[in-house]
Amino acid sequence: MIRKGLRRWAGLAILCALMIVSVVPAWGAGTSSVSTTTVNIWLSLDEPVAYVDGKKIDLDTPGVLKDGNSRFVPLKFMGEQLGIGVKFNDKTKRTEIGTSRAKIEIDEVNKSVFINGVYLTFDSVARSFNGKLMVKESWLYDFLGAKYTFNADKKRLEVTFVKKPPSRVDEKGNSRPVARFTFGKPKYLIGEPVQYIDLSYDPDAEGLQYEWTGNEEAFFSPGKYLVTLKVKDGQGLVSDLYSRYIEVSDEIMHKSPMAFKLNTYPLQSLIPTNWIEVYAYFNDLPNFKKTVTEDRSRKLLVSDSPETFDEKGIFYADTVNGKARLYADHVNGMDEKVQFIIMATNSGTKPVTIKTTNKGEVYPSIYANLIGHEASVEFLLGDAPDSEIVVPAGQSRTYVQMPDFLPGQGVNVIYDVETDGPVEFAFMAMDASIETPISKYPLLYKQLPADQHIRGTFPITEKRWDIDASSFTTSTRLIFGDNEYDQWQVGTDPTRKKEVTDDGNYGVVYKIHSDKPRKMAILLQARGGPFKGPFKINGEFVLAPTSGVITAFETVQILARTTGNEPSLDIEFTPPAGSAFPINLIFYPLD
């Protein structure tokens, strides 16, 4: 790894919501209702059968058990149908029934019943049948509030019960909110984006908080899936749970979650990846075959060592006669502020003109990834006006001087220059007063040890890669800065008279071209460490990422998509200071 580092409107809204709800299709009706509902139940005498609103239901007890002159009905079943709470208390070993008229406790073991604390014998009001609790039919009206008659001809007990809606207003007069939703369509394909249409409302218009379950972006197996919703208003009142089933067919739109994301997520989205997904989708991908063209018409001077300096002096210097690119990346590791300067010295007998044709620079900052990103953005914009300075014979001139360079801050600069004679450019950290003679500063580059940072002069400032992205059928990649697929360029350090490498190819501009690209997504994956930098894709800037940094193997970013109708694809990129390499550009086919 290379280290671099009111109210009227509320009323209208509610009315609209209610109008919409009235047309929700019956196939997916939910489970929340605030209206009054009449329930009709028929219980067959001595047969394990009941009918609820005409629908037959098999029971595990007789619908009506006749014992002498008394008739008994199944308690749990009737409680469920009438909305009465029936539960067994594990501590007291009693069945508890909570009604609006009484609190009832039944103790089958000790054969006792308590109604609002008043003791009754078990046999006077209840029976056990195959382990199931049954109670006298009179309880239907006495405690459960249901009217009943016995139809002797048809041998059944006919029960009518009006379910009253729960109170929706608390003691302070605040209304409970209502949760409700539907889907954009009754059936979805595998991997098709699901549209959830929210129909929830709060009568008091206080705003809602949502608690969903099962509301996936898409589903990847056929079947029916339960989706539920609860909402809470600004006073903390919670709605009833509302639920619907969504149906998924066996036809496929996107076969996997990753394919769904890469096809449907907005551009610039960061998609989190775990190691399973990395191995399944992005590991050991084939590389594009590329034709490489190198621009050697402009040499590259790189000053990046020591990246963090702890004394003033000259970090690197070399002579330029013609075209060059000046690249520097440094951090002030001292306890005092200094000036970062690039000094131009003309040792000849004729004046020399220096013309600047492009630049990328950023004022000193403590954010390492930011300075590299911003300098790269400005340089790739390429709209800096041409400027010139003249260096008289035998004299020096300040080519660049940054604002105060405070402790802990970093700076990154890139300049394309053209000279009409030999000029020595020196990258320096010096006193705040630039009147101090240069000769007072040590030539640090002569005593600095070789390390993982870069200083030297290199022959290549641009690489063009021509690839064929017109007809590939599997995910394929380009690798930058790995020293294998993309080899680091070799240069020299004349001050030490030794061969050096530009680890990561900082300062180099890459231009990737393909004719007639197929339909695809273009993804960025960091591999060496944090990454932050710009790309130009068919002339448009794409920031990677839009904020923060991309961490190695933990995310991929969707940089762009092609439609398959573009005449060409052109990507421009330069390795930003502060970012780690290698990185992958992954080309993912979209079918």
Side-chain angles (χ1 to χ4, degrees):
M1 181 183 78
I2 304 167
R3 185 190 62 82
K4 291 285 284 179
L6 23 185
R7 186 177 304 274
R8 178 186 175 190
W9 302 111
L12 287 172
I14 294 168
L15 178 60
C16 291
L18 290 171
M19 291 172 67
I20 296 171
V21 169
S22 67
V23 298
V24 172
W27 65 269
T31 59
S32 177
S33 175
V34 297
S35 62
T36 298
T37 303
T38 298
V39 180
N40 294 295
I41 305 171
W42 298 341
L43 298 164
S44 299
L45 178 64
D46 296 330
E47 292 184 23
V49 175
Y51 292 84
V52 179
D53 291 334
K55 182 179 179 180
K56 182 180 178 181
I57 299 177
D58 294 323
L59 306 175
D60 48 15
T61 68
V64 177
L65 175 67
K66 192 171 187 309
D67 186 5
N69 294 322
S70 298
R71 291 189 291 259
F72 298 84
V73 295
L75 176 61
K76 188 173 185 300
F77 171 75
M78 294 304 296
E80 291 173 349
Q81 302 306 315
L82 305 182
I84 304 299
V86 178
K87 65 178 183 179
F88 185 77
N89 189 318
D90 288 326
K91 292 183 179 180
T92 63
K93 306 302 181 183
R94 295 176 179 179
T95 298
E96 298 178 351
I97 310 161
T99 78
S100 61
R101 304 185 182 190
K103 177 183 178 182
I104 302 171
E105 299 173 277
I106 302 176
D107 187 337
E108 292 186 72
V109 175
N110 296 305
K111 300 298 179 181
S112 56
V113 177
F114 298 87
I115 302 177
N116 290 338
V118 177
Y119 167 79
L120 297 173
T121 61
F122 179 85
D123 291 339
S124 65
V125 295
R127 291 290 185 273
S128 292
F129 185 91
N130 291 340
K132 306 298 179 180
L133 190 59
M134 305 185 74
V135 296
K136 266 192 176 182
E137 64 179 359
S138 59
W139 277 33
L140 290 171
Y141 181 77
D142 293 343
F143 301 114
L144 306 185
K147 295 180 179 181
Y148 66 94
T149 59
F150 184 77
N151 189 324
D153 292 337
K154 296 184 178 181
K155 295 183 179 181
R156 70 189 185 197
L157 191 69
E158 298 177 353
V159 183
T160 302
F161 180 73
V162 178
K163 285 186 175 181
K164 293 183 179 181
S167 174
R168 308 201 67 83
V169 181
D170 67 8
E171 64 275 7
K172 297 180 181 180
N174 183 49
S175 300
R176 293 175 63 195
V178 176
R180 191 160 292 158
F181 65 91
T182 188
F183 308 112
K185 53 193 295 188
K187 184 181 290 188
Y188 284 85
L189 308 180
I190 291 173
E192 181 179 4
V194 178
Q195 181 185 18
Y196 297 93
I197 302 175
D198 177 29
L199 304 173
S200 305
Y201 65 93
D202 177 21
D204 305 305
E206 297 168 333
L208 296 174
Q209 299 177 28
Y210 291 77
E211 182 182 329
W212 292 88
T213 62
N215 60 325
E216 302 292 337
E217 296 176 303
F219 297 85
F220 297 94
S221 296
K224 288 188 176 182
Y225 298 87
L226 183 65
V227 182
T228 68
L229 173 64
K230 287 194 299 186
V231 294
K232 182 167 65 174
D233 68 11
Q235 299 297 320
L237 289 184
V238 180
S239 71
D240 294 328
L241 182 69
Y242 186 82
S243 61
R244 303 179 73 92
Y245 280 94
I246 185 170
E247 186 174 359
V248 180
S249 73
D250 57 2
E251 296 180 77
I252 297 174
M253 176 176 285
H254 303 302
K255 61 184 179 181
S256 69
M258 186 59 68
F260 165 80
K261 294 172 184 177
L262 297 182
N263 277 274
T264 64
Y265 275 25
L267 294 179
Q268 319 324 321
S269 294
L270 288 172
I271 300 177
T273 54
N274 54 42
W275 280 108
I276 295 175
E277 292 170 319
V278 168
Y279 280 113
Y281 300 107
F282 308 123
N283 200 53
D284 294 330
L285 299 179
N287 305 321
F288 274 115
K289 293 181 179 179
K290 63 184 188 297
T291 300
V292 181
T293 305
E294 298 172 341
D295 184 354
R296 295 174 177 259
S297 66
R298 180 188 301 275
K299 64 182 181 179
L300 172 65
L301 279 65
V302 178
S303 178
D304 184 28
S305 191
E307 181 186 56
T308 301
F309 59 85
D310 54 13
E311 61 178 308
K312 289 170 282 191
I314 301 172
F315 305 121
Y316 184 67
D318 198 6
T319 299
V320 172
N321 188 1
K323 293 182 178 182
R325 179 169 296 162
L326 313 179
Y327 181 98
D329 180 31
H330 291 290
V331 177
N332 182 2
M334 302 175 64
D335 294 329
E336 60 179 294
K337 70 178 180 181
V338 296
Q339 302 296 130
F340 176 77
I341 289 175
I342 300 178
M343 191 68 69
T345 300
N346 178 4
S347 300
T349 59
K350 296 180 180 181
V352 175
T353 299
I354 304 173
K355 182 179 181 180
T356 303
T357 59
N358 194 18
K359 70 175 182 177
E361 61 184 10
V362 60
Y363 288 170
S365 169
I366 61 173
Y367 301 105
N369 296 106
L370 178 65
I371 61 174
H373 170 86
E374 293 298 332
S376 298
V377 167
E378 184 176 7
F379 191 78
L380 291 180
L381 278 170
D383 57 4
D386 291 352
S387 60
E388 295 182 355
I389 67 168
V390 177
V391 184
Q395 296 185 34
S396 297
R397 291 289 185 270
T398 300
Y399 173 70
V400 169
Q401 180 180 0
M402 287 285 104
D404 287 344
F405 199 4
L406 302 177
Q409 291 184 331
V411 66
N412 180 219
V413 295
I414 317 170
Y415 303 99
D416 275 355
V417 299
E418 297 179 10
T419 73
D420 59 1
V423 175
E424 183 185 60
F425 289 92
F427 302 83
M428 309 171 58
M430 57 190 296
D431 290 322
S433 172
I434 62 173
E435 301 302 324
T436 306
I438 295 176
S439 60
K440 291 187 62 176
Y441 292 91
L443 304 178
L444 297 177
Y445 55 79
K446 290 189 175 182
Q447 63 196 49
L448 292 171
D451 57 17
Q452 65 185 24
H453 303 300
I454 309 155
R455 56 188 183 276
T457 300
F458 302 91
I460 302 169
T461 56
E462 183 176 304
K463 289 185 176 185
R464 176 181 168 118
W465 290 356
D466 286 280
I467 63 172
D468 181 3
S470 64
S471 57
F472 66 100
T473 57
T474 60
S475 297
T476 308
R477 65 183 176 180
L478 295 174
I479 308 173
F480 298 89
D482 67 338
N483 203 29
E484 293 181 5
Y485 180 83
D486 176 29
Q487 293 188 339
W488 304 334
Q489 64 169 318
V490 178
T492 59
D493 181 351
T495 61
R496 295 182 294 165
K497 296 181 174 56
K498 66 174 294 182
E499 186 177 274
V500 291
T501 57
D502 183 4
D503 300 7
N505 287 331
Y506 295 95
V508 174
V509 172
Y510 291 81
K511 294 184 177 181
I512 297 95
H513 175 84
S514 175
D515 291 323
K516 299 179 180 179
R518 63 154 296 156
K519 185 178 181 180
M520 60 184 168
I522 303 173
L523 317 173
L524 172 65
Q525 180 191 43
R527 289 175 51 192
F531 179 90
K532 183 179 184 64
F535 290 81
K536 282 178 73 174
I537 302 179
N538 282 353
E540 295 186 4
F541 266 93
V542 179
L543 305 183
T546 52
S547 63
V549 299
I550 297 177
T551 50
F553 296 107
E554 295 182 355
T555 54
V556 293
Q557 182 177 0
I558 306 175
L559 298 181
R561 293 189 185 96
T562 58
T563 64
N565 298 317
E566 295 87 352
S568 63
L569 171 66
D570 289 282
I571 301 173
E572 196 170 347
F573 161 74
T574 186
S579 290
F581 287 82
I583 64 170
N584 288 341
L585 278 190
I586 298 172
F587 298 74
Y588 184 95
L590 299 180
D591 296 319

